[in-house]
Amino acid sequence: MTQYRVRDPDAIGVAVIGCGRIGLVHAANVASIPNVRVVVAADLDPAAAESGRAVTKAERATTDPLAAIADREVEAILLATPTDSHAPLIRAALRSAKAVFTEKPLASDLRATRQLVREWRNTGVPLQVGFMRRFDPGYVAAKRLIEAGELGRIEQFRAYSRDAQMPSLEFLHRSGGAFVDMSVHDFDLARFLVGDVIEVFAWGSVLYDDRLNDLPDVDTAIVALRFANGALGVVEMARHSRWGYDIRTEIAGVEGKVIVEASNKTPITLSRQGRSELDHFAGFEDRFADAYKAELNAFVEALAQGAVPAPGPDDALETMRVALAARDSWHRGRPVRVARLG
Ligand SMILES: NC(=O)c1ccc[n+]([C@@H]2O[C@H](COP(=O)([O-])OP(=O)(O)OC[C@H]3O[C@@H](n4cnc5c(N)ncnc54)[C@H](O)[C@@H]3O)[C@@H](O)[C@H]2O)c1
């Protein structure tokens, strides 16, 4: 295993691959980092590739992601293609010794995730996974308080995530399902803030879009968690919410609790005629705008300094095991120990 070094820390050549909803957010962010030079934007859809090129002011656009990875001027890949294409593209990047920032998850199933993590371990290539909430100022502060012992022994964890808009059916088909695609962010927070999860019990329903029954998938779910340290938790999920993007996390300990929630998008509440009004975040793009910037800054800084970026493949694998245990529990209708997945 060789130590990975970029050629010039002041001008790191990047390829943006996948220029859809989140890809364009990442593209704009990475292009604004002073020591990044976006060489190429790639997407199977030529119009999307061109949007990526325009946003990043990249030198080229292409519909061939493998050519972008192989490009000699490219030293790092920013991957934001659909979930089921992550594993082969990450593998191609690792084989070309190109650093990778990838959207979550690493792969669609556990076997492919394990295989990829094994391959990555032998390469020494930096690989960061897009669990952006770890970079949100609220979660950063919560982590600091917990580590400083301000809450005492942690007893309970509660998180809910409600997306404002259902994604397209095409996206849902390729997403791995609600537990893997959406609740995975809350499972990652559970592990980040409390510790390893050893058992889950999931219930799911289709209450909003009957087409999910055919996948099969759910649009509404609750997952009970049992942590290795004895703490207990609940993760709630809804694929849509009429009142806006709705994310809240609460961690309670013997001495205190913290709540991470950004309820007002604009810091103003209008009260009149016995009612109060505030605005909500529209989606992940505005609620986690700072976190998306911070995670890419951290990735590029790690590359420039020859450091190991985080969260990495081991976190992605462990969180995937929890998500798949939840999906399994929903199928079986009973609790599932995470160790059961092997
Ligand atoms: N971290 C987050 O908050 C967050 C938010 C949204 C999406 N995501 C993840 O990001 C990924 C992309 O999601 P999205 O909502 O942006 O999807 P999207 O469908 O909007 O965009 C995907 C883009 O990738 C292109 N594409 C498809 N296959 C490709 C391939 N093999 N090579 C190159 N381009 C290809 C498509 O043409 C499309 O432009 C998913 O894995 C999803 O789980 C993460």
Side-chain angles (χ1 to χ4, degrees), residues 133 162-164 241 244-247 280-284 287-288:
R133 293 189 192 178
R162 302 191 182 97
D163 254 348
S241 120
Y245 190 59
D246 197 5
I247 309 285
H280 273 271
F281 287 90
F284 53 80
R287 167 62 184 88
F288 289 110

Side-chain angles (χ1 to χ4, degrees), residues 39-283:
V39 176
V40 56
D43 196 294
L44 296 184
D45 172 359
E50 178 48 32
S51 300
R53 196 206 58 74
V55 163
T56 55
K57 307 219 172 13
E59 292 150 34
R60 297 184 278 287
T62 178
T63 54
D64 183 348
L66 293 176
I69 291 169
D71 191 311
R72 289 174 58 83
E73 292 173 59
V74 168
E75 295 182 273
I77 310 296
L78 200 170
L79 187 61
T81 56
T83 294
D84 58 4
S85 62
H86 291 178
L89 293 172
I90 293 170
R91 180 167 295 115
L94 295 179
R95 287 181 180 168
S96 307
K98 308 285 168 93
V100 181
F101 176 95
T102 181
E103 258 312 332
K104 50 69 180 171
L106 287 181
S108 308
D109 63 47
L110 195 57
R111 209 161 142 248
T113 309
R114 278 193 198 293
Q115 175 65 27
L116 200 58
V117 174
R118 253 196 309 274
E119 288 176 34
W120 162 78
R121 224 180 281 291
N122 295 325
T123 63
V125 172
L127 202 176
Q128 184 175 327
V129 182
F131 289 126
M132 78 294 183
R133 293 189 192 178
R134 292 183 180 220
F135 295 85
D136 173 79
Y139 292 107
V140 170
K143 173 84 170 165
R144 203 178 307 122
L145 289 167
I146 291 167
E147 284 187 343
E150 295 288 335
L151 310 192
R153 181 182 176 172
I154 303 303
E155 298 174 325
Q156 291 183 311
F157 171 87
R158 181 171 205 96
Y160 59 65
S161 293
R162 302 191 182 97
D163 254 348
Q165 307 277 350
M166 286 272 291
S168 69
L169 206 59
E170 198 215 330
F171 175 93
L172 293 171
H173 263 291
R174 304 181 69 177
S175 70
F179 298 105
V180 169
D181 177 53
M182 214 183 132
S183 298
V184 73
H185 283 295
D186 290 311
F187 298 143
D188 180 61
L189 283 180
R191 294 189 52 256
F192 180 58
L193 297 170
V194 183
D196 280 336
V197 175
I198 55 170
E199 189 171 17
V200 299
F201 188 5
W203 277 349
S205 286
V206 177
L207 300 175
Y208 182 69
D209 189 335
D210 288 344
R211 293 175 304 172
L212 288 174
N213 284 315
D214 301 332
L215 293 182
D217 199 355
V218 298
D219 54 33
T220 312
I222 287 184
V223 186
L225 311 176
R226 198 153 66 81
F227 291 89
N229 60 13
L232 299 174
V234 179
V235 165
E236 298 176 31
M237 186 284 305
R239 274 289 191 189
H240 81 105
S241 120
R242 283 272 164 89
W243 52 92
Y245 190 59
D246 197 5
I247 309 285
R248 179 183 164 120
T249 312
E250 181 177 309
I251 306 101
V254 177
E255 305 292 340
K257 73 169 182 177
V258 288
I259 295 171
V260 183
E261 183 177 32
S263 41
N264 294 31
K265 179 173 175 176
T266 315
I268 181 172
T269 304
L270 169 65
S271 298
R272 57 178 177 175
Q273 297 176 345
R275 294 166 65 94
S276 291
E277 290 171 25
L278 53 87
D279 62 357
H280 273 271
F281 287 90

Side-chain angles (χ1 to χ4, degrees), residues 17-35:
I17 303 181
C19 305
R21 283 191 311 167
I22 195 72
L24 287 179
V25 173
H26 289 320
N29 288 338
V30 82
S32 73
I33 300 175
N35 55 333

